[in-house]
Amino acid sequence: APANPRRSRCRRCVCFISLGLAIAAIVVGVMLGITKQSPQQLHNDARGFLKGVKGEGVGSAGDSSTSSGGGGYATLEITSPAFDDGGPCPVKYTADGANISPPLRWSTPPPGTHSLALIMSDPQGRDGKGYTHWFIVNIPPTSTELEEGIPPNASDRIFHQALNDGDVAGYTGPKPPHGSGQHKYYFRLFAFDGGLSDPSTRTREELEELLGYLNDIGRGEVMCTYSGD
């Protein structure tokens, strides 16, 4: 039977549309200045990173992947001279005290690091949905510490502090609801093989999504506790 000209034209249209969408995706990736991966890798990495931000994934209680360095990334040793890992958070760094950020130090990031990101979160916050207290992106790869008391909205910094869940572009200290018991506050550090362009023009949700496009090649965390009782 002779070929149906209309059906052939439809097939060609579908092919051209698919090709156009693929080219558009590549162009968008280049414009954003991010490293593209396969669609499945991209989905998995973005999903895993976003879970880590909310306290459900990377470095959560009972998860030893960060300390073991598994999963193809290097271990970053992060500490604070203000508290021991797993120990109580000094009142000075809580919303019941001076509400200033604690000093943090970490080991040299692995080769290939282009930027670092730090997320402080309380997995128990907001009735178990997770609460982000601090979110910093584009920390230079040569940095190995953050000093005490970094002010919100600091324009003199070469990194960017995004809005936290308290709508503060900076640090907000622990202050769990009265009667909620002891909360755990994780300071999670990620080393990425790329950086984010113009982070000050993007929402925190957009920054979280864009970080999912990058490969995290180093991870580490330190945790302190504080009680709402």
Side-chain angles (χ1 to χ4, degrees):
N4 189 326
R6 181 177 299 176
R7 185 173 299 173
S8 298
R9 286 197 297 271
C10 290
R11 289 198 187 100
R12 286 197 295 269
C13 289
V14 170
C15 290
F16 283 131
I17 291 172
S18 299
L19 178 61
L21 290 174
I23 294 173
I26 294 173
V27 171
V28 169
V30 172
M31 290 176 64
L32 291 174
I34 53 181
T35 303
K36 294 293 291 180
Q37 307 170 59
S38 72
Q40 189 59 48
Q41 286 176 320
L42 177 60
H43 172 76
N44 291 340
D45 287 354
R47 189 165 179 261
F49 182 82
L50 294 178
K51 279 190 173 183
V53 170
K54 293 301 180 185
E56 301 170 359
V58 178
S60 296
D63 179 4
S64 61
S65 62
T66 301
S67 59
S68 65
Y73 51 82
T75 297
L76 293 171
E77 300 292 340
I78 178 172
T79 61
S80 175
F83 57 83
D84 295 326
D85 185 25
C89 182
V91 175
K92 177 181 181 180
Y93 304 111
T94 74
D96 291 326
N99 199 27
I100 62 173
S101 62
L104 297 170
R105 299 170 182 167
W106 55 84
S107 56
T108 302
T113 299
H114 284 253
S115 70
L116 301 163
L118 178 79
I119 300 99
M120 175 195 173
S121 62
D122 170 14
Q124 300 158 262
R126 295 196 301 179
D127 298 322
K129 296 178 182 178
Y131 190 100
T132 299
H133 286 259
W134 204 14
F135 186 17
I136 308 177
V137 297
N138 280 6
I139 301 173
T142 54
S143 298
T144 55
E145 66 177 342
L146 290 173
E147 72 271 23
E148 178 186 81
I150 295 176
N153 302 302
S155 59
D156 61 334
R157 308 286 169 168
I158 53 177
F159 52 75
H160 174 69
Q161 297 184 94
L163 289 177
N164 61 23
D165 280 332
D167 289 329
V168 175
Y171 176 86
T172 297
K175 190 177 177 62
H178 181 72
S180 63
Q182 186 180 82
H183 286 225
K184 295 179 179 179
Y185 298 88
Y186 292 91
F187 296 81
R188 292 180 175 127
L189 185 69
F190 297 83
F192 289 104
D193 64 353
L196 301 180
S197 60
D198 301 321
S200 61
T201 65
R202 307 184 188 278
T203 66
R204 196 189 77 199
E205 289 74 18
E206 289 172 336
L207 293 175
E208 289 174 351
E209 183 175 354
L210 289 173
L211 285 176
Y213 284 73
L214 303 176
N215 292 308
D216 60 304
I217 57 178
R219 305 180 186 177
E221 73 174 29
V222 64
M223 184 268 289
C224 66
T225 63
Y226 192 67
S227 176
D229 298 334

